[in-house]
């Protein structure tokens, strides 16, 4: 057995006015709770340190820069790293990254038990739009504030296994999991901020959104024989509601733990990485069964090419 006791640490809403110090205090409280349940690893949501700011339009993009982190750890996040080191707990969380060159990414990191950043991922599949869209019930301006990630989907050896990351919308794309699956990934950790209503189709409400979320994560886990840990930021942020649905899925595609509600909270599961072996050695033994000579379109084109 290779067990990682994994905590999925959901954050309830973060209002625009809430400062990073307050959010980090909430994250530390969740970490202490995870420690009391003997967690080895804690996973927090996408853009964990602030409200989901891409819903707010700034004509001048630079006005969004205060939502970004220029260093990691920085003054606000240092206490989180210190507590993780004290507990000997690995962690992953998302934040908005502003690089020294002035580039903007929606980023998540993997931090080892000693507090060292060992992995960085930058969100590849940015949803939404880049200009104000009066047709939508709410804005989703990720394409305005972020560049698509430039690091691909790497994986890292950590905690005795092979771990990878993705962020929110990435979880809906089978390519995300398969690229990591082809590197032997045994656990994918991800955070998300999913509005409860589709801004372009109001009839699509929270039940359908949660259905698509579970469907995507469970399929990704099963088809690549990997654990997936998916963590929400949930509840009403300044009147804009986000779904919950924090869950841990096993390599058979089954949900082994799901957090009810939309407040701060933790679920912990004992994730045995050896449970990935059966799927990886049988129906999803990629070396034996994949036929990449027929998959060329997946990397050759983005949009649909219709038949003549
Ligand atoms: N933060 C996100 O990436 N949210 C998207 C919404 C816009 C659909 C998601 O996939 O949940």
């Amino acid at each position: 057995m290779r067990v990682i006791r994994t905590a999925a640490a959901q954050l309830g809403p973060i209002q625009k006015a809430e400062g990073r110090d307050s959010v980090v205090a909430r994250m530390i409280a969740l970490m202490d709770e995870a420690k009391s349940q003997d967690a080895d690893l804690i996973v927090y949501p996408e853009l964990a340190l602030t409200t989901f700011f891409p819903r707010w339009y700034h004509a001048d993009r630079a006005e969004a820069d205060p939502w970004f982190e220029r260093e990691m750890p920085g003054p606000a996040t240092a206490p989180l790293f210190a507590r993780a080191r004290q507990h000997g707990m690995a962690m992953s969380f998302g934040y908005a990254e502003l690089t020294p060159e002035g580039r903007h990414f929606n980023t998540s990191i993997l931090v080892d038990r000693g507090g060292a950043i060992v992995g960085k991922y930058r969100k590849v599949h940015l949803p939404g739009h880049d200009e104000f869209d009066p047709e939508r019930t709410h804005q989703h301006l990720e394409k305005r504030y972020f560049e698509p990630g430039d690091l691909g989907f790497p994986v890292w050896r950590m905690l005795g296994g092979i771990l990878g990351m993705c962020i929110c919308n990435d979880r809906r794309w089978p390519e995300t999991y398969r690229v990591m699956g082809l590197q032997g990934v045994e656990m994918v950790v991800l955070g998300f901020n999913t509005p409860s209503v589709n801004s372009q189709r109001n009839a699509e409400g929270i039940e359908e959104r949660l259905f698509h979320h579970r469907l995507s994560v469970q399929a990704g886990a099963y088809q690549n024989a990997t654990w997936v840990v998916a963590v929400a930021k949930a509840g009403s942020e300044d009147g804009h509601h986000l779904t919950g649905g924090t869950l841990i899925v096993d390599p058979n595609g089954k949900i082994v733990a799901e957090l009810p509600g939309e407040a701060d909270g933790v679920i912990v599961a004992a994730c045995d990485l050896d449970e990935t072996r059966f799927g990886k050695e049988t129906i999803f033994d990629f070396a034996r069964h994949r036929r990449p000579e027929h998959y060329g379109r997946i990397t050759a084109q983005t949009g649909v090419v219709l038949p003549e």
Side-chain angles (χ1 to χ4, degrees):
M1 299 227 298
R2 287 181 295 138
V3 175
I4 301 179
R5 285 189 63 79
T6 306
Q10 175 171 292
L11 285 168
I14 300 173
Q15 309 306 329
K16 242 179 151 175
E18 185 170 355
R20 286 169 175 73
D21 291 350
S22 161
V23 178
V24 166
R26 289 166 57 185
M27 293 169 79
I28 288 174
L30 292 172
M31 188 179 279
D32 291 346
E33 166 64 24
K35 182 65 185 174
S36 76
Q37 297 186 49
D38 284 331
D40 304 301
L41 166 69
I42 186 166
V43 183
Y44 297 100
E46 172 190 35
L47 300 178
L49 304 173
T50 66
T51 196
F52 188 72
F53 67 85
R55 70 169 69 90
W56 304 111
Y57 176 75
H58 295 283
D60 176 1
R61 284 176 172 77
E63 284 176 10
D65 281 355
W67 298 114
F68 285 76
E69 313 302 314
R70 292 168 193 269
E71 49 181 339
M72 188 55 65
T77 44
L80 182 67
F81 280 72
R83 187 63 63 94
R85 258 194 317 274
Q86 179 191 329
H87 286 327
M89 196 182 299
M91 67 176 168
S92 177
F93 66 89
Y95 64 98
E97 178 190 10
L98 177 50
T99 73
E101 301 76 35
R103 301 178 71 190
H104 299 76
F105 296 101
N106 186 341
T107 295
S108 62
I109 48 173
L110 265 181
V111 182
D112 71 14
R113 288 181 189 273
I117 297 174
V118 293
K120 179 180 279 190
Y121 168 74
R122 292 171 170 159
K123 187 173 183 178
V124 166
H125 299 101
L126 296 174
H129 47 112
D130 64 356
E131 292 298 339
F132 187 85
D133 181 354
E135 303 291 317
R136 295 183 186 239
T137 52
H138 52 270
Q139 303 298 297
H140 197 105
L141 292 153
E142 286 195 58
K143 286 190 196 292
R144 183 173 188 80
Y145 298 128
F146 303 118
E147 283 180 51
D150 60 349
L151 301 174
F153 293 100
V155 299
W156 295 269
R157 287 194 183 275
M158 200 177 148
L159 298 172
I162 301 176
L163 273 62
M165 293 181 277
C166 69
I167 301 178
C168 194
N169 190 256
D170 289 318
R171 76 196 188 286
R172 305 183 192 277
W173 297 84
E175 295 87 346
T176 296
Y177 304 92
R178 185 48 51 88
V179 171
M180 289 188 267
L182 286 166
Q183 300 167 81
V185 78
E186 296 172 315
M187 179 182 285
V188 175
V189 300
L190 70 100
F192 61 97
N193 285 255
T194 299
S196 300
V197 173
N198 186 326
S199 64
Q200 295 170 292
R201 188 165 168 257
N202 261 359
E204 186 183 317
I206 190 161
E207 287 311 319
E208 203 170 336
R209 293 230 125 181
L210 284 170
F211 166 70
H212 289 147
H213 157 63
R214 294 188 190 102
L215 181 69
S216 302
V217 169
Q218 290 180 256
Y222 168 66
Q223 292 171 346
N224 296 278
T226 179
W227 290 89
V228 181
V229 181
V231 183
K233 174 129 69 59
S236 181
E237 293 190 334
D238 296 289
H240 295 269
H241 196 262
L242 301 166
T243 73
T246 292
L247 44 78
I248 299 177
V249 179
D250 76 12
N252 203 25
K254 292 192 177 153
I255 296 172
V256 296
E258 181 159 2
L259 189 75
E262 295 167 354
D264 290 7
V266 176
I267 44 172
V268 177
C271 304
D272 180 1
L273 303 183
D274 281 342
E275 285 180 32
T276 64
R277 291 186 52 188
F278 179 74
K280 287 186 191 301
E281 289 170 6
T282 58
I283 195 162
F284 296 115
D285 180 346
F286 294 156
R288 272 196 294 152
H289 305 307
R290 288 183 79 250
R291 289 282 167 246
E293 65 273 27
H294 299 296
Y295 307 154
R297 282 185 185 277
I298 288 180
T299 51
Q301 65 190 68
T302 47
V304 173
V305 176
L306 295 172
E308 305 256 306

